[in-house]
Amino acid sequence: MRHYFHPEIEDVCLPDVLFALSDATRLGIAVALADGKERTAGELGGSLAKSTMTHHLKVLREAGALRVRSEGTRCYNSLRLEELQERFPGLLDHLLGFAVKCGYTSADARSRD
Amino acid sequence: MRHYFHPEIEDVCLPDVLFALSDATRLGIAVALADGKERTAGELGGSLAKSTMTHHLKVLREAGALRVRSEGTRCYNSLRLEELQERFPGLLDHLLGFAVKCGYTSADARSRD
């Protein structure tokens, strides 16, 4: 099972989180995951090239915004909502609220339930 | 007098503003200018190399977060606080509040009055 690096939440810094969200696709991914559910890259990616989606998920993960869980051959992505809420209270809600208003939504993302 | 490009506020997009603030130095500059006053690059820069400060001010300006006003041979920088407040209500206050808490302050920035 592949191991993915996740920074400790106390090491997550504001510039990195802002950088992770400074891209229309990554904002869309974050909006799609804001319900707290896990999704695979395929479920999130829609028409995006797999390598492109892998890159964007890596940026979100390394910034501390996203957690990847391996299960068998599949990887499930989710936002680190509770940890981020504790570290930067209200930040993600605030940013994703604007992201939705501005139309950065992942129309292709499908719910897993 | 040199002309500086400033995007129209309606063309300012969320990812660009987040990118502009996704750097410790630029967060510090924004915190230093959050009082609404104008400052020169020298007043903001402290020990930073002039070219480094010029780069950071350009990123903030091109993202729509900062306005430069030329007067004679000097340039005065200020945040586009009112316009940004209208475009993304509360966003800058929210982000700069976290920036201050996280210690991204421009200790070298001096007030002009």
Side-chain angles (χ1 to χ4, degrees), chain B residues 72-107:
Chain B
T73 57
R74 306 193 80 176
C75 291
Y76 297 99
N77 304 278
S78 59
L79 288 183
R80 297 172 66 173
L81 290 173
E82 287 183 20
E83 292 170 288
L84 286 169
Q85 174 62 20
E86 195 166 326
R87 181 99 175 91
F88 303 114
L91 177 67
L92 215 56
D93 277 350
H94 202 75
L95 293 181
L96 297 188
F98 283 117
V100 170
K101 274 186 200 167
C102 295
Y104 298 106
T105 56
S106 180

Side-chain angles (χ1 to χ4, degrees), chain A residues 13-16 18-24 27 87-92 94-95 98-99 101-102 104, chain B residues 13-16 18-24 27 87-92 94-95 98-99 101-102 104:
Chain A
C13 68
L14 184 63
D16 287 354
L18 298 183
F19 177 76
L21 296 174
S22 70
D23 174 275
L27 274 175
R87 182 100 175 91
F88 303 113
L91 177 68
L92 214 57
H94 202 75
L95 293 181
F98 283 118
K101 275 186 199 167
C102 294
Y104 298 106
Chain B
C13 69
L14 184 64
D16 287 353
L18 298 183
F19 176 76
L21 297 173
S22 70
D23 174 275
L27 275 175
R87 181 99 175 91
F88 303 114
L91 177 67
L92 215 56
H94 202 75
L95 293 181
F98 283 117
K101 274 186 200 167
C102 295
Y104 298 106

Side-chain angles (χ1 to χ4, degrees), chain A residues 2-69:
Chain A
R2 183 164 172 186
H3 175 74
Y4 291 95
F5 167 74
H6 296 91
E8 297 295 326
I9 196 66
E10 58 267 25
D11 296 328
V12 171
C13 68
L14 184 63
D16 287 354
V17 174
L18 298 183
F19 177 76
L21 296 174
S22 70
D23 174 275
T25 301
R26 293 197 293 274
L27 274 175
I29 292 169
V31 166
L33 291 171
D35 60 6
K37 293 179 183 142
E38 293 181 321
R39 288 175 179 83
T40 64
E43 288 169 328
L44 288 165
S47 56
L48 280 183
K50 190 178 171 187
S51 60
T52 304
M53 180 50 81
T54 300
H55 163 73
H56 287 308
L57 292 172
K58 183 183 178 194
V59 173
L60 285 163
R61 174 172 53 79
E62 293 186 343
L66 184 131
R67 187 169 294 283
V68 183
R69 182 177 66 82

